[in-house]
Amino acid sequence: MVIEQTYFIRGGDFSHAGDASSKVKKLLKQLGVDARKIKNIVIALYEAEVNIVAHAWEGMIRISIEADRISCTLEDKGPGIEDIGQAMVEGYSTASKEVREMGFGAGMGLSNIKRNTDVLEITSEVGVGTKVYMVNYF
Amino acid sequence: MFKGKKYHALRVDPNKCFGCVHCIKVCPTEAIRVKNGLAVVDDLRCVDCGNCMRACPVDAFYIIQDDLSKIHDYKYRVALFPSVMIGQFPESITDDQIYWAIMQLGFTHVYEVEQPISWLVDLMLDHHVRNPEKKPLISSFCPAIVRLIQIKYPSLVDNIMQVKAPHDLAAAFVSETLVKQGASPEETGLFYIAPCSAKIAAVKDPVGEKESSVNGVINMNELYNRVMKVIASHPKAEFTGFRDYLSREGILWPLTRGEARLFKRRSMAVDGIHNVVRILEKIETEEIPDVDFLELRSCDQGCAGGILLSGNRFMNVERLARRSRRYPRYSEVVNDNSIVDAVKATLHLEEVVASRAFELDPDRGKALEKMAKLERIICQLPAIDCAACGAPNCHALAEDMVLGKAKMSDCVHLQQQWQHQGKMTNERAFNNLEKIWGRGRFEADCKKRGARNEGF
């Protein structure tokens, strides 16, 4: 049995940043997933969701939940990441001044996602977009 | 991890409830359904916040309490009440008149619970220093919020401050004081005058402690009415002796920011349970990273908005603010330090354990199946969220269906469509409606209860 959901994310729409993550959180609670695991998943997903809002023009989040895991694929149309290795470094950020003033873009995003997921794959093409694939086991 | 039946202070009077959607719509945990024309509350989900009682147009909700006559089982009969009790009265009535009137009801001692508040502050700051990893610490003050976190935010139960509430402080302080004066504990009855259903439930079925520190709990609304009957224009005596340790900060404690203002680090105060839900969602996702302390209260304006209070909550806050200025700062109050250790030793709260009120099934595979079914049902429902099925919204009805508690034909709009398509007889559709709303519920009746509710 697999549960699949899709959420559309609009770039720059900070007031709705986090909506998809909270919907996923509700699903995981209904499935009785351990509270700490839910926390990890939702922190990672929220970071990735905010990345789309802050950097990309638009994006899609597809999640699929199975009995032992959740896989999330976040695909965006946006500027892409030039050097993924550097972007993973804590504190490194390309966020604009405006985004930072809103309290986002501290450069903790990707490293925070890494810390909270079991599998993380990031692929990106500059000028086209970024794809983040992450898996958490329950 | 799974906690069974909980004690609830809130009950529905079947003779008054006539079946409408007011309570189901305001419940923060979607715990209420209407069946056979009566509101039914889910024990596992109810947090005793009292929103249903506030919203009910016919006063069908009532609160279980101890009978006042129970105080006469004791030689020393102590009334313990929060400062918001005083805030209900017009300012022309003095503190001493109120104290006197409460004693006329049979009490021998009358204490406000927020004293000596500096001991509670010490314990809270100490708990913060000892547990730097628990960030943010969440106040344990409001029992509706503690229960809400238990059932809806299990990942945050460890953040709940392991320090008890002011009524526990006062109970320990008063019993130590009376023992010092020669009263035996068996002869002393401590009665807490509660401002809300949640505090009553917390005394009857405490979370994080084996048994409550008080011997009984009295409904503040009932006590207020009795006090109003006996209150005299001139106080018969002075009772300042019962307020020796009361401070400005103590008086303001049950109001919003009452705790947060004393928590010298980064703190935030949120009141109103629906606002609290929004903040807890963000805390869970670590969207609010740098707060050390969170004061969360179920009622708007804190306990001044308690469901068992009379009068206007804002007037209550105003009176207490003015009154507090006549009292010394808590740091200036000279406490009885001979009993401080004995009192503090009773104020440790055990760890709060999570319970799972929103799980579709304890078996993950079955839960997934139910969730898939729920998704299919959602497609069929109209998303009008009218609650005419007896559930608060379409999503809640779909949940009830996969849990085997409701069926597709409970949706009145689907029924209409099925009748229109000739798939359901009028008679069956009507029977379904009467099963939810009760027999004869749709007959014309000018004296129908709740019919004159203008809604504002």
Side-chain angles (χ1 to χ4, degrees):
Chain A
M1 182 64 68
V2 186
I3 300 288
E4 288 178 329
Q5 300 273 329
T6 308
Y7 308 98
F8 177 75
I9 309 296
R10 204 151 53 102
D13 186 5
F14 284 94
S15 51
H16 290 103
D19 285 6
S21 325
S22 28
K23 282 179 186 146
V24 172
K25 182 166 73 180
K26 197 176 174 199
L27 293 179
L28 295 172
K29 283 185 183 180
Q30 287 182 310
L31 291 174
V33 175
D34 178 76
R36 274 168 197 82
K37 303 261 183 196
I38 294 182
K39 203 170 172 177
N40 294 338
I41 296 161
V42 175
I43 288 171
L45 191 59
Y46 174 72
E47 287 288 356
E49 188 181 346
V50 168
N51 279 345
I52 297 180
V53 174
H55 299 286
W57 305 309
E58 60 171 61
M60 286 290 253
I61 301 181
R62 291 197 309 272
I63 61 136
S64 87
I65 307 174
E66 292 162 73
D68 66 335
R69 79 188 74 175
I70 176 169
S71 330
C72 310
T73 312
L74 299 95
E75 255 178 302
D76 70 48
K77 290 180 189 150
I81 305 170
E82 219 162 293
D83 183 343
I84 293 173
Q86 194 179 24
M88 296 291 289
V89 177
E90 218 162 276
Y92 178 82
S93 174
T94 59
S96 66
K97 192 167 167 272
E98 289 77 23
V99 169
R100 284 165 188 260
E101 273 168 3
M102 278 187 269
F104 300 100
M108 313 298 280
L110 290 189
S111 48
N112 206 9
I113 296 176
K114 179 92 190 146
R115 243 197 323 276
N116 284 291
T117 47
D118 295 318
V119 176
L120 175 65
E121 287 164 18
I122 303 174
T123 49
S124 186
E125 196 178 326
V126 174
V128 179
T130 304
K131 184 175 173 179
V132 176
Y133 172 73
M134 51 201 218
V135 180
N136 281 63
Y137 296 96
F138 300 147
Chain B
M1 288 290 278
F2 200 85
K3 201 163 174 262
K5 201 174 163 67
K6 287 191 296 188
Y7 177 91
H8 291 292
L10 278 163
R11 303 288 162 88
V12 181
D13 183 343
N15 295 316
K16 286 188 178 171
C17 177
F18 73 113
C20 68
V21 303
H22 288 92
C23 57
I24 29 186
K25 280 288 190 184
V26 298
C27 177
T29 59
E30 297 188 343
I32 310 177
R33 302 291 183 271
V34 172
K35 286 185 183 115
N36 297 316
L38 286 179
V40 182
V41 184
D42 180 337
D43 268 339
L44 284 174
R45 284 193 178 191
C46 175
V47 297
D48 285 289
C49 72
N51 273 14
C52 48
M53 191 172 173
R54 229 188 292 272
C56 182
V58 295
D59 287 330
F61 287 88
Y62 64 99
I63 293 179
I64 295 278
Q65 55 174 322
D66 288 322
D67 196 90
L68 197 55
S69 64
K70 195 179 152 188
I71 69 172
H72 293 290
D73 297 348
Y74 301 90
K75 184 173 171 194
Y76 304 104
R77 304 175 290 277
V78 183
L80 302 171
F81 61 87
S83 66
V84 288
M85 170 82 192
I86 302 275
Q88 300 175 99
F89 297 90
E91 227 159 341
S92 55
I93 299 176
T94 66
D95 295 358
D96 278 329
Q97 279 175 281
I98 300 165
Y99 273 59
W100 176 82
I102 295 173
M103 292 186 72
Q104 295 309 297
L105 302 177
F107 291 99
T108 58
H109 298 73
V110 182
Y111 288 94
E112 278 170 76
V113 296
E114 297 88 1
Q115 57 180 330
I117 206 70
S118 62
W119 295 353
L120 210 56
V121 177
D122 290 348
L123 289 170
M124 287 167 65
L125 294 178
D126 187 56
H127 188 75
H128 172 69
V129 171
R130 281 169 197 267
N131 299 279
E133 76 289 355
K134 295 186 183 178
K135 202 175 168 180
L137 269 177
I138 300 175
S139 164
S140 65
F141 175 88
C142 178
I145 300 301
V146 170
R147 286 190 175 191
L148 178 73
I149 292 171
Q150 266 191 307
I151 63 163
K152 214 173 170 192
Y153 303 96
S155 71
L156 298 177
V157 287
D158 294 339
N159 293 54
I160 295 173
M161 172 98 65
Q162 287 177 263
V163 177
K164 290 187 190 172
H167 74 265
D168 300 300
L169 165 75
F173 157 71
V174 171
S175 58
E176 290 294 334
T177 302
L178 292 188
V179 165
K180 248 179 96 175
Q181 292 170 2
S184 83
E186 294 77 37
E187 292 174 315
T188 306
L190 302 167
F191 291 85
Y192 174 48
I193 319 298
C196 64
S197 41
K199 289 276 188 193
I200 292 186
V203 167
K204 294 288 180 189
D205 183 16
V207 172
E209 52 185 324
K210 279 179 192 67
E211 58 180 26
S212 174
S213 54
V214 295
N215 305 88
V217 62
I218 310 284
N219 177 325
M220 187 181 286
N221 182 248
E222 190 186 309
L223 195 87
Y224 174 82
N225 288 337
R226 287 180 186 239
V227 163
M228 283 306 272
K229 268 189 192 163
V230 301
I231 207 149
S233 50
H234 300 288
K236 297 285 187 285
E238 282 227 338
F239 301 101
T240 45
F242 292 135
R243 300 196 292 272
D244 280 346
Y245 307 105
L246 196 60
S247 62
R248 188 176 299 183
E249 290 81 358
I251 288 172
L252 298 176
W253 194 263
L255 306 181
T256 303
R257 287 210 71 76
E259 295 167 274
R261 74 158 55 82
L262 292 181
F263 208 85
K264 297 265 180 345
R265 288 155 188 85
R266 226 175 135 175
S267 64
M268 195 155 73
V270 182
D271 59 8
I273 196 161
H274 292 281
N275 296 329
V276 169
V277 163
R278 271 175 225 124
I279 282 294
L280 288 173
E281 291 286 340
K282 286 192 180 294
I283 296 290
E284 237 188 355
T285 334
E286 296 191 352
E287 286 174 61
I288 304 171
D290 271 330
V291 178
D292 294 296
F293 176 70
L294 265 182
E295 173 198 300
L296 306 176
R297 308 270 176 91
S298 177
C299 295
D300 176 28
Q301 302 301 314
C303 297
I307 187 74
L308 293 176
L309 263 73
S310 306
N312 181 281
R313 66 188 64 186
F314 299 101
M315 286 161 68
N316 192 319
V317 171
E318 205 269 341
R319 168 158 193 185
L320 289 184
R322 286 167 60 92
R323 176 184 184 226
S324 71
R325 282 179 225 130
R326 297 197 297 271
Y327 282 77
R329 293 198 170 278
Y330 78 116
S331 49
E332 294 161 357
V333 174
V334 182
N335 294 320
D336 177 2
N337 285 321
S338 68
I339 56 172
V340 57
D341 293 332
V343 171
K344 280 186 178 176
T346 66
L347 296 176
H348 173 76
L349 191 71
E350 300 294 318
E351 275 184 12
V352 175
V353 180
S355 70
R356 297 178 156 181
F358 294 92
E359 233 175 47
L360 293 175
D361 199 292
D363 178 282
R364 179 76 41 75
K366 284 184 187 152
L368 268 173
E369 275 169 35
K370 286 180 180 172
M371 188 170 283
K373 194 173 161 196
L374 194 148
E375 291 298 322
R376 291 196 299 275
I377 293 172
I378 283 290
C379 303
Q380 307 294 321
L381 297 177
I384 290 174
D385 292 339
C386 65
C389 56
N393 50 55
C394 296
H395 193 273
L397 176 65
E399 253 177 54
D400 287 355
M401 282 190 218
V402 301
L403 295 173
K405 294 176 184 171
K407 51 191 192 316
M408 216 55 152
S409 55
D410 287 345
C411 173
V412 298
H413 305 284
L414 276 187
Q415 274 200 15
Q416 277 288 329
Q417 196 179 340
W418 290 344
Q419 283 169 272
H420 176 67
Q421 294 167 345
K423 290 180 185 165
M424 186 183 242
T425 63
N426 289 344
E427 201 189 343
R428 238 190 92 200
F430 189 73
N431 282 343
N432 276 339
L433 273 187
E434 281 200 327
K435 263 186 214 158
I436 300 168
W437 296 103
R439 207 155 270 287
R441 179 69 171 83
F442 309 109
E443 314 258 312
D445 176 7
C446 297
K447 295 208 169 84
K448 170 159 55 243
R449 276 171 288 162
R452 308 285 168 190
N453 179 43
E454 291 181 5
F456 63 87

